[in-house]
Amino acid sequence: VQLVESGGGLVQPGGSLRLSCGASESMSKIYAMGWYRQAPGKQRELVATITSGGSTNYGDSVKGRFTISRDSAKDTVYLQMNSLKPADTAVYYCNANMILKTYWGQGTQVTVSA
């Protein structure tokens, strides 16, 4: 499975961004897709996931601010990020969980700074 992310960039605190992740396989074959992030000097952490059944899960630091969604017709997952903070600055990675194997995108940089 190939994953292609887009939508990262520079945004001011309090602003919004929407990330997209397109998959080369039908989402019907993927158990769950999600977003993880890694800031310099820190471990990669969960941002949000969504299963093939539509169940979502969020990291504590983004609950209430970020929303994950999907468009099965386009095999694409989105991450709407609102009320962004400097602490959200990181490389955001798309993830596809196919149970026996996990795939990662190349990452997209999100920088929140005045």
Side-chain angles (χ1 to χ4, degrees), residues 41 55 90 103-104:
S55 297
Y103 297 86
W104 294 93

Side-chain angles (χ1 to χ4, degrees), residues 59-94:
D60 288 341
S61 61
V62 306
K63 286 180 181 177
R65 299 188 298 122
F66 291 11
T67 302
I68 190 169
S69 63
R70 63 180 187 176
D71 184 337
S72 297
K74 296 181 179 181
D75 296 323
T76 299
V77 171
Y78 303 98
L79 183 69
Q80 178 66 43
M81 304 186 293
N82 299 328
S83 302
L84 283 161
K85 307 173 182 180
D88 296 316
T89 296
V91 178
Y92 284 68
Y93 295 93
C94 182

Side-chain angles (χ1 to χ4, degrees), residues 20-70:
S20 300
C21 174
S24 62
E25 289 280 348
S26 169
M27 292 183 67
S28 63
K29 299 180 181 179
I30 301 173
Y31 169 71
M33 292 187 69
W35 293 92
Y36 292 74
R37 67 187 183 187
Q38 187 166 18
K42 295 187 177 181
Q43 290 187 332
R44 192 171 295 188
E45 65 173 359
L46 167 71
V47 177
T49 60
I50 184 166
T51 69
S52 57
S55 297
T56 58
N57 183 43
Y58 294 91
D60 288 341
S61 61
V62 306
K63 286 180 181 177
R65 299 188 298 122
F66 291 11
T67 302
I68 190 169
S69 63
R70 63 180 187 176

